[in-house]
């Protein structure tokens, strides 16, 4: 029996349904400089290390798209990528020394930036660092790698396939040239199609294509044309991202006017059209953004498995998670600030301590589990929550859940968002943040 929870207060989405994409909790803007800086050996002592996640961050792109607020820089001076990989190797050595001797990795990902900005030889070295310095067996675990059409060259893809990549994610955003230009993404459909051909020829088990809706001038008809162009390649996964105009990005600098009237309604309309189109084409919805073709292999244990405690992040933009502390290096969006942080990372010789982070209290750990589970289509397993934390989720978060106002159901021991609840994930997720995290995010000095 499915029960619509009797919730009566106003929904968090009474304002815009597009507040923030919750891909990690707490966000790095809630991190602060750690004083004193704790030793990695102390942070990892006693932590479960039998199934760690590994993330390697490459902070370089050939261009910066107008919507992008990722930690990345455009291009690299002569020798910088080599120096960055040197630093990554030093960091990997320090992290390996902090872990238990029998620590093992169950999942790996290369992200950015654009990992395929690296040359084929540099990608070989990146894999060597993961395997030889950290002990990850990339051919034995799910490995996901992000790429762009221009950098998805045959030699790079060959390296990634030979080294065990199971999922190749291609950032396309739109198959229509005019929409790509509107999003300040200089690419041509012919180049995208050629790249997809090379990706399919390389034989990765899972192809993911990223698309964006809400672009200026985009209509439901053009959105569905772009979706159909993607579906022609029968991707195992598709991610549908709403467009955001974030501070310090190209679109934010270009836009002198306020957010256009009706933009929220446009994005919701396009989201629903895309969702229904994919469901009709045999795809299953995993989250607001992620859709998987029925019968396709899964690239990992779940979409959010890399967000559980026990994640090792290498690179200046990567996070690491232990049960007691989430930590990383400094964070910025502004191009000059990003370059400074990368330069500082490259110059670092001692990687034995954590620099920036946030302590995870038991309450925050429960909240994190709630948010990450509830924003998935399968929802929160109440019995699993009880086993993990020894308490009841509906009691721990009664005050927060009451605000979901009919967008939450309870059925067969799970709390799940309704279809309309999933559509409002980017408002529901931030509304579940703790007051302390919200306060620290609000006081963060954007740079």
């Amino acid at each position: 029996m499915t029960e619509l929870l009797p919730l009566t207060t106003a929904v968090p989405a009474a304002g815009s349904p597009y507040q923030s994409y919750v891909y990690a909790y707490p966000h790095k803007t809630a991190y602060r400089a750690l004083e004193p800086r704790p030793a990695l050996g102390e942070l990892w002592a006693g932590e479960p290390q039998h199934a760690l996640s590994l993330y390697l961050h490459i902070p370089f792109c050939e261009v910066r798209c107008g919507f992008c607020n990722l930690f990345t820089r455009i291009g690299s001076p002569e020798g910088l990528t080599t120096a960055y990989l040197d630093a990554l190797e030093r960091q990997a050595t320090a992290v390996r020394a902090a872990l238990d001797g029998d620590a093992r990795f169950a999942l790996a990902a290369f992200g950015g930036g654009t990992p395929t900005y690296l040359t084929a030889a540099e990608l070989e070295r990146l894999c060597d660092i993961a395997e030889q310095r950290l002990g990850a067996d990339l051919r034995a675990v799910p490995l996901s790698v992000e790429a762009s059409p221009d950098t998805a060259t045959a030699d790079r893809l060959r390296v990634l396939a030979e080294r065990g990549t199971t999922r190749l994610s291609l950032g396309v955003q739109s198959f229509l040239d005019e929409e790509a230009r509107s999003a300040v993404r200089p690419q041509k459909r012919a180049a995208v199609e050629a790249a997809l051909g090379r990706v399919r020829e390389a034989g990765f088990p899972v192809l993911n294509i990223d698309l964006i809706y809400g672009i200026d001038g985009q209509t439901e008809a053009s959105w569905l044309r772009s979706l159909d162009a993607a579906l022609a390649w029968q991707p195992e996964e598709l991610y549908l991202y709403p467009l955001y105009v974030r501070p310090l990005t190209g679109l934010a600098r270009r836009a002198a006017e306020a957010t256009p009237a009706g933009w929220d309604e446009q994005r919701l309309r396009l989201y629903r059209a895309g969702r229904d189109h994919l469901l009709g084409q045999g795809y299953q919805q995993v989250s607001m953004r992620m859709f998987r073709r029925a019968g396709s292999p899964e690239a990992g244990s779940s979409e959010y498995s890399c967000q559980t405690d026990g994640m090792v992040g290498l690179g200046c933009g990567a996070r690491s998670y232990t049960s007691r502390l989430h930590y990383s290096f400094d964070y910025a969006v502004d191009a000059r600030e990003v370059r400074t942080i990368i330069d500082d990372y490259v110059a670092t010789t001692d990687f034995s301590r954590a620099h920036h982070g946030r302590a995870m209290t038991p309450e925050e750990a429960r909240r994190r589990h709630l948010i990450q589970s509830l924003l998935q289509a399968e929802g929160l397993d109440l019995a699993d929550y009880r086993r993990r934390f020894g308490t009841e989720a509906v009691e721990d978060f009664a005050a927060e859940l009451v605000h979901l106002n009919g967008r939450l159901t309870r059925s067969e021991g799970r709390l799940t968002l309704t279809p309309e609840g999933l559509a409002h994930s980017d408002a529901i997720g931030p509304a579940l943040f703790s007051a302390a995290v919200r306060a620290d995010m609000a006081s963060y000095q954007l740079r």
Side-chain angles (χ1 to χ4, degrees), residues 131-210:
E131 293 189 334
Q132 298 171 14
R133 296 299 181 185
L134 276 173
D137 187 349
L138 299 181
R139 293 180 178 86
V141 303
L143 170 61
S144 178
V145 181
E146 298 171 1
S148 68
D150 285 345
T151 61
T153 58
D155 58 339
R156 291 175 169 102
L157 296 175
R158 189 179 309 112
V159 168
L160 294 175
E162 291 173 352
R163 299 303 291 257
T165 301
T166 52
R167 176 181 182 270
L168 196 289
S169 181
L170 197 69
V172 174
Q173 318 318 342
S174 178
F175 280 82
L176 307 184
D177 291 351
E178 62 273 20
E179 290 184 359
R181 286 195 303 271
S182 183
V184 194
R185 183 178 177 86
Q187 69 180 22
K188 298 293 185 182
R189 178 170 177 173
V192 172
E193 300 279 3
L196 284 165
R198 293 190 295 271
V199 171
R200 278 311 197 195
E201 186 176 350
F204 302 104
V206 174
L207 163 64
N208 173 72
I209 297 176
D210 289 345

Side-chain angles (χ1 to χ4, degrees), residues 18-95:
Y18 299 102
Q19 300 292 330
S20 178
Y21 174 24
V22 184
Y23 57 89
Y25 178 80
H27 190 270
K28 284 173 85 172
T29 54
Y31 291 13
R32 293 295 182 267
L34 299 172
E35 293 297 342
R37 294 178 175 177
L40 299 189
E42 297 172 2
L43 293 178
W44 286 98
E47 292 285 315
Q49 299 178 31
H50 62 286
L52 298 170
S53 296
L54 174 63
Y55 178 77
L56 274 64
H57 178 251
I58 304 301
F60 305 106
C61 288
E62 68 278 17
V63 295
R64 191 178 192 115
C65 302
F67 52 81
C68 178
N69 72 336
L70 296 179
F71 184 91
T72 187
R73 67 163 291 163
I74 307 310
S76 57
E78 180 70 28
L80 182 57
T81 55
T82 297
Y84 185 83
L85 290 173
D86 291 343
L88 202 68
E89 189 160 4
R90 294 194 297 273
Q91 187 186 7
T93 301
V95 169

Side-chain angles (χ1 to χ4, degrees), residues 182-321:
S182 183
V184 194
R185 183 178 177 86
Q187 69 180 22
K188 298 293 185 182
R189 178 170 177 173
V192 172
E193 300 279 3
L196 284 165
R198 293 190 295 271
V199 171
R200 278 311 197 195
E201 186 176 350
F204 302 104
V206 174
L207 163 64
N208 173 72
I209 297 176
D210 289 345
L211 297 174
I212 285 180
Y213 56 91
I215 298 170
D216 187 33
Q218 190 177 50
T219 65
E220 185 172 325
S222 69
W223 171 231
L224 293 180
R225 284 203 306 274
S226 195
L227 269 176
D228 283 336
L231 289 170
W233 291 96
Q234 296 186 302
E236 286 71 26
E237 294 177 2
L238 278 159
Y239 268 73
L240 309 185
Y241 288 94
L243 179 66
Y244 276 89
V245 176
R246 299 177 175 96
L248 304 181
T249 63
L251 286 179
R253 288 191 293 269
R254 190 180 69 174
E257 71 280 358
T259 299
W263 194 32
D264 284 347
E265 290 77 7
Q266 180 209 19
R267 286 182 286 181
L268 278 173
R269 184 173 62 255
L270 294 176
Y271 161 78
R272 293 175 183 132
R275 173 198 64 193
D276 295 347
H277 192 61
L278 291 183
L279 293 177
Q281 294 293 319
Y283 283 75
Q284 299 168 338
Q285 187 166 19
V286 179
S287 68
M288 172 186 164
R289 287 167 170 75
M290 181 182 178
F291 294 81
R292 179 183 293 123
R293 198 178 70 204
S296 297
E298 294 189 20
S301 55
S302 75
E303 184 192 19
Y304 65 103
S305 59
C306 67
Q307 306 294 355
T308 59
D309 288 335
M311 178 169 169
V312 171
L314 297 183
C316 59
R319 299 171 176 82
S320 294
Y321 303 139

Side-chain angles (χ1 to χ4, degrees), residues 400-418:
E400 289 87 346
L401 295 178
V402 77
H403 289 285
L404 295 187
N405 195 33
R407 290 188 175 151
L408 189 66
T409 63
R410 181 170 180 170
S411 177
E412 300 178 352
R414 307 187 81 88
L415 289 182
T416 58
L417 293 175
T418 65

